[in-house]
Amino acid sequence: MPGKEKRYRVEALGRQHDRLGFSCGSDPLDQYLRTQAGQDARKRVAAPFVLCEGESHAVLGYYTLSAISVDIGAWPENVAKKLPRYPVVPATLMGRLAIDKRLQGQGAGEHLLMNALHRSLQASRQVAAVAVIVDAKDENAVAFYRHYEFVPFKDQPARMFLPMRIIEKLFA
């Protein structure tokens, strides 16, 4: 990210955060942050985390995490054969990841992704999850996640996952 001397922080979304100035170039992602993210947090259907700089509460990026169960038949065969034969297995869904246009292409996406993966790994030690799953919104997002070794599901190429054992190695 620009100006490595700047202090960036990632924290749970709260009322103090200024969401109105955020613009990532995707209206659905912008609107979600402005109108739905707080409600999702209060109802515990998603946990939004925001990127801020210094002491500012202006949101420069965000992601959401939630629990998901995935049908055993949805996983690629080489993965499914290593999983227990339960009808569904637990995972963590990173439902959204967005960076303000002012920071795009400067490493902020990687910073938020690594934060989300680390947070997911820590949570998996308390509440089991075999992988982090993302739903890539377009080909650019697919390429972004492929760069970090996310693997597509067999019948949904835009739905991708990174096994928790790989994430654990990232932070070993």
Side-chain angles (χ1 to χ4, degrees):
M1 289 193 302
K4 294 288 185 187
E5 70 283 353
K6 294 180 180 178
R7 292 183 310 127
Y8 291 95
R9 68 184 190 286
V10 179
E11 58 194 19
L13 176 68
R15 292 183 186 271
Q16 74 277 19
H17 293 108
D18 176 11
R19 299 176 269 174
L20 295 179
F22 181 84
S23 177
C24 69
S26 167
D27 192 53
L29 290 173
D30 293 346
Q31 287 301 329
Y32 174 81
L33 178 65
R34 290 184 192 123
T35 64
Q36 189 65 42
Q39 293 175 50
D40 282 359
R42 285 188 297 280
K43 294 176 183 177
R44 299 186 186 271
V45 295
F49 294 91
V50 296
L51 175 71
C52 298
E53 179 183 338
E55 297 302 314
S56 171
H57 292 292
V59 174
L60 299 173
Y62 76 95
Y63 65 84
T64 63
L65 296 176
S66 57
I68 188 172
S69 294
V70 181
D71 186 284
I72 192 72
W75 299 92
E77 281 187 42
N78 64 323
V79 174
K81 70 181 180 185
K82 296 176 185 171
L83 295 172
R85 294 289 162 222
Y86 299 137
V88 295
V89 292
T92 299
L93 176 66
M94 187 170 64
R96 292 169 179 80
L97 176 104
I99 302 298
D100 191 277
K101 287 190 270 191
R102 296 168 287 180
L103 288 183
Q104 289 177 4
Q106 299 178 37
E110 178 180 57
H111 181 81
L112 275 182
L113 176 62
M114 291 302 126
N115 185 276
L117 294 177
H118 189 256
R119 192 178 303 272
S120 298
L121 174 63
Q122 290 176 319
S124 76
R125 294 177 176 142
Q126 300 292 316
V127 178
V130 300
V132 171
I133 296 173
V134 297
D135 289 312
K137 69 179 181 80
D138 58 28
E139 286 304 313
N140 288 336
V142 168
F144 174 80
Y145 292 117
R146 278 192 185 272
H147 176 76
Y148 295 99
E149 300 184 23
F150 278 74
V151 178
F153 277 85
K154 62 183 186 180
D155 295 331
Q156 297 176 294
R159 175 163 269 197
M160 306 172 80
F161 70 95
L162 190 61
M164 205 57 75
R165 62 180 166 68
I166 301 296
I167 296 169
E168 193 162 37
K169 288 178 185 175
L170 273 174
F171 298 104

